[in-house]
Amino acid sequence: MVSVTDKLIQGRTGSWEIVMGLEIHAQVASKAKLFSGAAVGFGAGPNEQVSLVDAGFPGMLPTLNKHCVEQAVRTGLGLNAQINKRSQFDRKNYFYPDLPTGYQISQLYFPIVGEGVVEVEAEDGSFFNVGIERLHLEQDAGKLIHDLSPTESYVDLNRAGTALMEIVSRPDIRSPEEAVAYVKKIRTILIYLGTCDGDMEKGNLRADVNVSVCREGGYARFKETGDFSHLGTRCEIKNVNSFRFISQAINYEARRQIEILEDGGKVDQETRLYDPTAGETRSMRSKEEAMDYRYFPDPDLLPLELEQAWIDGIKADLPELPDAKRRRLMADYGLSQYDAVVLISEQAKADYFEAAAKGRDAKLVSNWVTNEVSARLAADGRDFSDNPLPAAHVAELVELIETNVISSKIAKEVFDHVWNGEGSPSEVVEKHGLKQVTDTGAIEKAIDDIIAANPDKAAAVAEKPQALGWFVGQVMKATGGKANPAAVNDILKAKLGL
Amino acid sequence: MSDLTKLTLKAALDGLKARDFSSEEITRAFVANIDAANPTLNAFVVQTTDKALEMARASDARLAKGEGGALEGAPLGIKDLFCTQGVQTTAGSNMLRGFVPPYESTVTANLWADGAVMLGKLNMDEFAMGSSNETSAFGPVKNPWKSKTSNAELTPGGSSGGSASAVAGDLCLAATASDTGGSIRQPAAFTGTVGIKPTYGRASRFGMVAFASSLDQAGPITKTVEDAAILLRSMCSFDAKDATSLDIETPDWTQSLGKSVKGLRIGVPAEYVVDGMPAEIQALWDQGIAWLKAAGCEIVPISLPHTKYALPAYYIIAPAEASSNLARYDGMRFGHRAEGTSSLTDLYETSRAEGFGKEVQRRLTIGAYVLSAGFYDAYYVRALKVRRRIAEDFDNVWDKVDAIVTPSTPSAAFALGDKQIDPLQMYLNDIFTVTANLAGLPGISVPAGLDSGGLPLGLQVIGKALDEATVFQVASALEDAAGFVAKPEKWW
Amino acid sequence: MAIDAATVRKVAHLARIKTPEDRLEPLAKELNGILAWIEQLDEVDIDGVEPMTSNVAQAMRLRDDVVTDGGKVEAVLSNAPRSADGFFVVPKVVE
Ligand SMILES: [Mg+2]
Ligand SMILES: [Zn+2]
C-alpha cells in the first residue's frame, strides 16, 4: 500500500518523490476579448458575446487589446519576472470544434514575460520558492455542451478568444500541499494586482498539473544537473479547477504512477483528465497520437514591442503585494508571521485590519478581524470586499476593551448587537447597559454576600487556591458579567487572605 | 453612342460626370456583354445585376446633383476573394459554395463608398492557389485572347484569371484582384491589361479570404496605367481592423503619370535572365530597356543574387501559412459539411477532402509538413531567412536605382490543360513576380508587346516600398512608348 | 528528406484531409518532387540571418479595451450547416 506523507512516499519497494510543474491559466480581467471587440463575461445567451473574428469567419483578422497586454505586464512584475520588451504571437494549430480558426493564438517562441520567482508559504509556516519559467498571453477556446442532445454536441463561442495568461512554473513543487499553496499564492497575487478575478468556480483560474515520480534523491540530482530524466516520465493532468481537486488529482496520480513502476511497468507520457466523481485521473490522449501543433509566428500580427517607460509606469502603479505587506504588517504592527499570513490572504482583509488597527492594540484587532469578523462574513457567504461592518466599529470595540469599559467576554455580546446593526459599540454598550462595573464598593458588597453564604468554601480556599475561580464565577454571575475581572480578583484575594 | 464597354475607367468616369451617359446605361451595356460572353469566358461566378442597377441608379441620382465619389457610377467586377455582404463569396472553392458573408471587405467597402457599381463576383483559382485559373471549383476562365497560330483556348493566368479576362473582354470597366505570388501581374500580362500589386500594407486584408497572410495584397486589374492609379487609390486605406495595415496617406498617383522619367535610374537584374526563357521575352525586355533609355533613364545593371531562391522559399512560406489559414474550413460553423460520417475526425477529413480541390489539398499537405515537428527549422525557418536575404537584395540596390524593370512572366498565355500534369511547371509562372511579394514591394505589369502568335506580353516595374509613385511614373512611360492598343478579336 | 506513404498519411491526418490508401504513394512521389526542388534552399548562406516573418517593419498597434462587437447571434449562425437555440450544432464529440 502506498502512503503519501509530505515529500517522501513510501512504496512497497522503497521511497519515492513527487515532482510537479504547474501551468496556471488565468483569465485576464478585461472588458473585451484579446483579439476582438466582443465582450468578456459570464451568463450571456449562447453566442451573444461572439464577433465574426471569434467565430473565425473568412477574412476576419485579429487586433490586440492593449489592456490585456498591460495586465500581463502587471502580472509579470508581480511575479518578479523579466518583462520581454519584444514578444511575438504564434499559432498553435489543431482541430477541435471549440476552436473556430483551427489554431489558438498563443506565444511559444517569445513570450511577453520570462523568468520569475514566487515565494510560497507552506502550511507549517516555512517558505519555499517556485521558479516561474514564463507567462504568455493566449486565447481561450469556446465551450462544448454535450447534454442538450443525445446525438449531437452544441457549441457556444462566448468564451472563445477571451484573454488568458498562462503561467508556467518550474518543476519546483514537491507535494500536493505545496501545489495547493502555490496556486493559492498565485491566485492571491493576481487578485492583488487586479489582473484576474481568481474565480475558480467559473473556470477563470484553472491549473494543468504535470506530475512525475522518481526515486528518493532524483529531484536533487535533477537540480544538480538540470537533466529532466532524473524526474521520471510526467503526465499532464488538464484543467483542474479547485484546490481540493488539485490535491486529490495529484495524490491519485502519484499513487498510480508508483504502482505502475513498482509492478515493473513504465509510465506513458500522456495527457490525463481528473474525474472528481470517480476520484481518479484517466487518459485523454497518449504520446503515440501526440499533437503536432505546428507552431509558427502568426502572420496576421506583428511583433509586440513595449517601451521601457510604459513598463516603468505600470511598475510605479503596482499595489503593495502580499509578500511586502506581510513583512510590513509584522514590522509595523508587531504581528506574528501566522497572523500576518492570515491577514494578507485577502487584500481587503489586510486593509480592513489596518483601518481598524490605527492606535489600537494590533494583536487584539487582528484577533477580532481574523476570528469574529471573518467567521460572520463566512457564515453570510461574504468576504472582506463586501463587509457590512465598518472598520471603525472594530476599532471602537477594541478601544472599549483596552480602556476597561467592557470585558473581553462582554465584548462578544457587544459585537453580536453591533453585527445586527444596532449601532456602534459604544451605542450598544450604552443601550444595553453593558458597561463594566469598576465601582469597588459594589464589587465588595457582592463578594461579602457570597463569602457569607459560603463559609465552608471560603475556609477551604486557603488549601486549594484553584477554588478561587469558583468565587470569581459567582461574583461575575452576581454582577451580570459586568464586573471588572481584575478588580474582582484583587478584592477576592484580599478578603480571602490569599 | 459608341460602345461604352470599350471605354477606359478614366474616360467612363469623365463621361459619367459630364452626363454624356448614365451609370445605368453603361451598367446595362456591361450586363449585356456579360450575359453574352460569360457562358464562354466563365469570368463571372456570380452576377449581381439587380444590385448593380440599383447602385447605378443611386449613382445617377448623386451625379445629377453634381455629387459623387471618385468612382461614381463605374461598373466593376470583384474577385470572389473579397467578402461582399449578402452576396455569395466562395474564393473559387466548393468548400464555400453558398457562403454568404454577413460583412463587407474593407477594399470593396472603400469602392462602394467612392460610388462604384458591382457587376458581380469574378472567377479565380481556388483560394487563389494557381496560375491558370484551372483550380477553380467553377471551371477554368478562358482568355479572350487566342494565338494566331492555334485555335486552342488559353488560360488568362491566375489566380485573378476572372478579373483579367473580364477586363480584357470588356465585361467590366476594371476589376479588383489579389496577388500572393504574382496573381495580379501574371494574369494582367497574359491578357494585355495592367495590374498592380501595391506595397504590402497599403490595402487592407480585412474581409479578403486569406491565402498567405504575410504575402496577400489586393490591387486592381485595369485597361490602362491611369485606370490602375485611379482604382488602386480607392482600394487602399489605413484600416485599424488589419494589424498589418499601414497608417499612411494614400497619394493621388495620377500625378505621376506622363511625368518625365529623365534621369531616373532603372535597374536591370542579371538574375532575371533564366534558363529556357523564350527569345521573345528577352527581346521584349530589351525593348523596354531601350524605350526607357530613349526617354532619358539611366540603365543600371544590378544583381539580386538570391532571386532563384524566391520561388522555393515561397512554396514553403505560402503553403505553411495557408495550411493554418484554411484550417477554419472544417464544416462546423460555415462551409461544406460532409454527410454520413462516422466520427469527428471522419467529419473533418471527409468535409475537407470533398470541399477542397486537388491543388489546395496538395498545398495544405506541404504546408502541414514543413511546419511539423522536426521539419520546422529545416524548412520553414530556413525559408524565412532566405526571404530576408531576398529582401536585403532589394535593399542593397535602392541607393543605386529608382526602379527595376523585368519581364512579368516567362512566357505568353499557354493553353488550358498544358501545365496541369506537373505542378512545378505551373509554379514557375511566378518566377519574376514572387520576389516583390516576399519583399513586400510594389510591382506593376504593363502590356508592352505581342509575341509571334499575337499574344500580349507584359513588362514588370518593381519599386521601393511605398514608392508606387515612381512605379506608376515608369509604367506610364513604358505604356506611352509601347503604344499598346491591340485588343483580342471577339470569338466568344 | 524523402517522404514515404506513411509520412503522407500522417501529414494528411494533421491537415485533416481524407486521403485514400491508393493515393498515398503517388502523393508521396509528387511531394518528394516538390521538396527536392525546395531543398535548393540549402545552398543559401543563412548564418546569422533573422527569420523574416513580415514585410511590415513596425510594431503592433494596440486597441483600447472597449466592447465594440458581439450581439449578432443571427449573423454568426447565418451560414451554419446546423444550428439550434443559438448554438452551432456538430456531431457528438466524445471527450
Ligand atoms: Mg498548457
Ligand atoms: Zn495554454
Side-chain angles (χ1 to χ4, degrees):
Chain A
M1 192 58 222
V2 169
S3 69
V4 179
T5 53
D6 194 35
K7 279 165 212 175
L8 273 187
I9 306 170
Q10 292 308 317
R12 279 184 281 112
T13 63
S15 315
W16 299 85
E17 293 182 81
I18 324 181
V19 180
M20 280 163 289
L22 266 66
E23 292 159 27
I24 294 176
H25 284 96
Q27 181 177 316
V28 176
S30 69
K31 296 191 192 80
K33 292 184 181 178
L34 184 56
F35 292 109
S36 91
V40 168
F42 201 76
N47 292 305
E48 290 278 3
Q49 296 175 338
V50 176
S51 82
L52 298 168
V53 177
D54 306 320
F57 271 60
M60 289 298 118
L61 296 171
T63 52
L64 183 57
N65 184 330
K66 183 177 185 176
H67 181 67
C68 296
V69 173
E70 190 175 332
Q71 297 288 63
V73 171
R74 269 172 85 78
T75 306
L77 293 169
L79 299 176
N80 310 301
Q82 167 76 35
I83 306 301
N84 293 325
K85 286 202 264 181
R86 190 182 165 90
S87 64
Q88 174 190 292
F89 287 94
D90 303 303
R91 293 184 181 178
K92 176 181 182 178
N93 295 283
Y94 64 94
F95 288 88
Y96 210 67
D98 65 6
L99 186 69
T101 47
Y103 55 83
Q104 177 196 31
I105 306 180
S106 181
Q107 297 186 299
L108 176 70
Y109 298 109
F110 301 102
I112 185 163
V113 175
E115 301 248 7
V117 65
V118 177
E119 192 181 40
V120 186
E121 298 86 12
E123 250 171 293
D124 65 1
S126 66
F127 290 92
F128 63 99
N129 281 344
V130 176
I132 300 295
E133 185 187 314
R134 56 193 278 139
L135 174 155
H136 64 255
L137 277 168
E138 63 182 23
Q139 301 173 297
D140 205 349
K143 207 172 134 198
L144 289 172
I145 296 132
H146 303 293
D147 55 6
L148 290 176
S149 153
T151 54
E152 292 166 310
S153 294
Y154 283 40
V155 188
D156 177 11
L157 298 179
N158 281 350
R159 198 167 198 130
T162 297
L164 300 178
M165 296 178 282
E166 181 173 332
I167 302 165
V168 182
S169 86
R170 295 279 179 202
D172 290 347
I173 298 162
R174 313 291 313 288
S175 69
E177 295 74 30
E178 282 194 3
V180 169
Y182 167 71
V183 178
K184 280 187 174 161
K185 184 60 184 281
I186 294 285
R187 182 174 175 273
T188 305
I189 293 172
L190 294 172
I191 294 172
Y192 266 63
L193 292 165
T195 56
C196 170
D197 68 11
D199 191 333
M200 297 179 82
E201 252 166 65
K202 292 199 179 102
N204 296 353
L205 187 95
R206 49 206 203 251
D208 298 343
V209 189
N210 289 285
V211 182
S212 68
V213 298
C214 55
R215 281 293 180 186
E216 185 176 355
Y219 181 74
R221 278 193 289 281
F222 159 71
K223 275 300 203 189
E224 246 167 64
T225 59
D227 179 353
F228 281 85
S229 69
H230 294 300
L231 298 182
T233 306
R234 68 190 162 91
C235 290
E236 182 176 14
I237 313 166
K238 280 272 177 206
N239 273 338
V240 198
N241 65 352
S242 84
F243 295 126
R244 198 154 52 92
F245 295 164
I246 289 172
S247 169
Q248 288 171 358
I250 294 168
N251 270 310
Y252 177 87
E253 180 60 20
R255 282 197 180 92
R256 187 189 72 86
Q257 291 186 14
I258 289 170
E259 268 161 31
I260 291 174
L261 294 170
E262 295 202 322
D263 288 346
K266 186 175 139 293
V267 174
D268 290 327
Q269 186 177 338
E270 60 184 357
T271 302
R272 299 179 70 86
L273 206 66
Y274 180 63
D275 177 349
T277 10
E280 58 186 35
T281 66
R282 56 186 161 78
S283 183
M284 277 175 83
R285 48 180 181 257
S286 72
K287 186 77 187 298
E288 303 321 307
E289 50 168 319
M291 300 285 220
D292 185 344
Y293 291 119
R294 291 158 287 139
Y295 278 98
F296 76 109
D298 190 324
D300 284 332
L301 296 165
L302 300 173
L304 175 59
E305 284 171 25
L306 307 178
E307 285 181 22
Q308 190 58 49
W310 191 65
I311 299 169
D312 292 344
I314 296 171
K315 197 169 195 170
D317 191 41
L318 287 184
E320 182 181 38
L321 290 168
D323 293 329
K325 200 182 278 292
R326 186 189 70 234
R327 288 191 195 99
R328 189 173 56 76
L329 293 187
M330 289 169 70
D332 290 5
Y333 297 92
L335 294 179
S336 67
Q337 177 180 302
Y338 177 84
D339 286 340
V341 165
V342 172
L343 286 172
I344 61 149
S345 67
E346 212 184 310
Q347 196 171 23
K349 193 197 288 186
D351 290 348
Y352 190 78
F353 160 77
E354 291 206 69
K358 288 271 157 355
R360 301 269 74 80
D361 178 338
K363 172 69 188 164
L364 207 47
V365 173
S366 167
N367 285 346
W368 277 95
V369 170
T370 58
N371 297 322
E372 215 62 32
V373 181
S374 293
R376 298 302 175 109
L377 287 172
D380 286 5
R382 294 168 180 253
D383 54 35
F384 276 86
S385 61
D386 90 281
N387 182 355
L389 185 71
H393 284 7
V394 175
E396 197 181 308
L397 190 66
V398 170
E399 186 180 9
L400 292 175
I401 300 167
E402 281 180 320
T403 53
N404 289 324
V405 176
I406 55 171
S407 67
S408 296
K409 198 167 166 219
I410 289 293
K412 297 240 158 79
E413 195 185 331
V414 174
F415 183 84
D416 279 339
H417 293 293
V418 173
W419 183 263
N420 290 338
E422 293 176 34
S424 74
S426 25
E427 284 163 1
V428 166
V429 166
E430 199 59 46
K431 185 170 140 203
H432 292 274
L434 294 171
K435 233 183 212 134
Q436 187 159 245
V437 178
T438 43
D439 167 5
T440 47
I443 295 174
E444 272 183 62
K445 164 108 186 25
I447 290 175
D448 288 344
D449 290 352
I450 290 163
I451 291 176
N454 299 279
D456 47 336
K457 281 198 166 78
V461 85
E463 285 101 63
K464 261 175 73 187
Q466 58 276 42
L468 182 68
W470 181 85
F471 279 96
V472 174
Q474 291 302 304
V475 177
M476 295 310 278
K477 203 168 165 189
T479 56
K482 289 177 284 182
N484 181 327
V488 171
N489 246 305
D490 290 351
I491 298 167
L492 261 177
K493 277 182 182 167
K495 296 223 178 222
L496 292 170
L498 288 167
Chain B
M1 191 171 298
S2 66
D3 187 349
L4 296 176
T5 64
K6 296 213 176 315
L7 294 174
T8 64
L9 174 62
K10 174 69 168 97
L13 288 171
D14 289 346
L16 283 162
K17 204 165 194 178
R19 313 289 296 135
D20 295 341
F21 48 86
S22 69
S23 175
E24 189 171 346
E25 273 174 89
I26 189 168
T27 299
R28 284 188 189 282
F30 278 116
V31 169
N33 274 12
I34 298 167
D35 287 344
N38 211 51
T40 309
L41 296 182
N42 198 28
F44 280 84
V45 289
V46 171
Q47 279 182 253
T48 52
T49 305
D50 291 343
K51 193 180 177 81
L53 291 172
E54 197 183 301
M55 291 172 97
R57 284 189 284 264
S59 279
D60 285 331
R62 282 190 289 272
L63 287 163
K65 286 189 271 180
E67 297 167 1
L71 299 173
E72 199 63 56
L76 304 179
I78 303 300
K79 185 176 183 178
D80 205 24
L81 194 73
F82 296 92
C83 288
T84 41
Q85 187 163 4
V87 176
Q88 177 183 277
T89 302
T90 65
S93 182
N94 278 325
M95 182 55 89
L96 283 175
R97 212 178 266 269
F99 177 73
V100 179
Y103 51 95
E104 190 76 32
S105 80
T106 297
V107 163
T108 47
N110 289 344
L111 301 182
W112 315 144
D114 274 354
V117 169
M118 176 164 72
L119 290 166
K121 304 298 288 291
L122 294 161
N123 205 344
M124 56 181 285
D125 276 303
E126 183 177 9
F127 285 103
M129 298 179 195
S131 301
S132 66
N133 225 294
E134 290 166 293
T135 71
S136 169
F138 299 88
V141 179
K142 283 158 199 170
N143 195 329
W145 292 82
K146 277 192 179 182
S147 170
K148 287 187 292 197
T149 59
S150 149
N151 195 35
E153 287 175 343
L154 304 178
T155 174
S159 65
S160 309
S163 306
S165 175
V167 173
D170 296 326
L171 309 189
C172 57
L173 276 176
T176 64
S178 71
D179 191 315
T180 305
S183 283
I184 291 175
R185 291 158 288 161
Q186 182 252 20
F190 278 11
T191 56
T193 56
V194 175
I196 181 166
K197 178 198 89 70
T199 306
Y200 183 88
R202 278 260 191 222
S204 169
R205 294 183 298 111
F206 181 85
M208 190 170 87
V209 178
F211 163 12
S213 310
S214 79
L215 303 163
D216 293 346
Q217 197 57 197
I221 290 182
T222 59
K223 294 179 182 177
T224 66
V225 173
E226 183 176 33
D227 288 0
I230 293 168
L231 187 49
L232 181 63
R233 187 178 191 208
S234 282
M235 291 171 75
C236 292
S237 63
F238 165 62
D239 185 3
K241 295 202 285 284
D242 174 358
T244 62
S245 171
L246 299 171
D247 189 359
I248 44 165
E249 282 291 302
T250 307
D252 176 4
W253 290 299
T254 59
Q255 304 292 316
S256 307
L257 309 176
K259 228 168 100 180
S260 166
V261 291
K262 198 164 177 219
L264 280 185
R265 300 162 305 166
I266 302 297
V268 179
E271 292 79 6
Y272 280 59
V273 180
V274 294
D275 287 348
M277 187 161 80
E280 287 180 307
I281 299 291
Q282 181 67 57
L284 175 86
W285 193 7
D286 293 340
Q287 178 62 257
I289 293 164
W291 284 329
L292 291 174
K293 201 169 181 176
C297 291
E298 182 193 336
I299 305 302
V300 184
I302 56 168
S303 172
L304 300 170
H306 296 91
T307 299
K308 72 177 270 211
Y309 303 109
L311 214 43
Y314 172 83
Y315 273 94
I316 291 174
I317 295 165
E321 292 185 18
S323 72
S324 178
N325 282 335
L326 272 63
R328 67 191 61 204
Y329 306 108
D330 59 3
M332 298 291 158
R333 295 160 312 283
F334 46 77
H336 177 70
R337 179 186 288 188
E339 297 287 338
T341 52
S342 61
S343 67
L344 182 65
T345 299
D346 189 27
L347 174 73
Y348 278 128
E349 296 192 342
T350 309
S351 298
R352 290 165 62 81
E354 289 173 359
F356 293 137
K358 206 173 151 200
E359 179 62 24
V360 171
Q361 292 187 25
R362 180 185 287 135
R363 295 200 200 185
L364 297 185
T365 310
I366 294 175
Y369 180 71
V370 298
L371 290 176
S372 66
F375 300 103
Y376 177 74
D377 287 316
Y379 286 116
Y380 187 70
V381 175
R382 172 172 286 269
L384 292 183
K385 290 180 176 180
V386 172
R387 180 179 186 177
R388 187 169 301 280
R389 285 286 194 224
I390 289 158
E392 285 168 356
D393 280 356
F394 284 103
D395 290 341
N396 291 337
V397 299
W398 292 130
D399 59 339
K400 296 186 265 295
V401 301
D402 301 303
I404 294 165
V405 171
T406 78
S408 300
T409 58
S411 75
F414 49 89
L416 287 168
D418 247 19
K419 299 195 178 183
Q420 272 188 311
I421 303 113
D422 183 1
L424 280 178
Q425 279 306 308
M426 189 66 85
Y427 297 170
L428 289 173
N429 267 285
D430 292 334
I431 192 157
F432 298 136
T433 46
V434 75
T435 53
N437 298 85
L438 290 170
L441 306 174
I444 195 169
S445 177
V446 186
L450 299 172
D451 76 352
S452 54
L455 290 177
L457 296 171
L459 283 173
Q460 175 180 229
V461 182
I462 299 171
K464 281 179 248 189
L466 299 179
D467 189 20
E468 282 83 358
T470 303
V471 170
F472 275 118
Q473 189 183 354
V474 175
S476 158
L478 286 172
E479 184 182 47
D480 286 348
F484 187 93
V485 290
K487 292 289 280 182
E489 215 165 287
K490 197 168 169 200
W491 56 271
W492 55 87
Chain C
M1 291 182 229
I3 296 185
D4 55 12
T7 309
V8 176
R9 188 187 297 116
K10 201 188 111 211
V11 177
H13 175 65
L14 268 184
R16 293 294 185 276
I17 298 172
K18 176 162 272 174
T19 310
E21 282 295 312
D22 62 351
R23 280 286 300 141
L24 296 176
E25 274 302 338
L27 254 167
K29 219 176 139 220
E30 205 175 275
L31 295 183
N32 277 322
I34 295 169
L35 289 169
W37 170 70
I38 281 174
E39 275 158 22
Q40 60 180 296
L41 294 181
D42 294 349
E43 298 163 12
V44 183
D45 174 14
I46 50 166
D47 272 6
V49 178
E50 266 293 292
M52 182 170 171
T53 52
S54 174
N55 279 313
V56 178
Q58 63 186 21
M60 187 146 47
R61 271 187 302 275
L62 301 169
R63 51 165 240 284
D64 289 338
D65 184 29
V66 184
V67 176
T68 56
D69 208 340
K72 49 172 76 161
V73 183
E74 206 180 308
V76 166
L77 298 177
S78 60
N79 284 277
R82 238 178 89 55
S83 65
D85 308 327
F87 295 95
F88 292 103
V89 178
V90 302
K92 194 79 176 173
V93 177
V94 188
E95 273 177 297

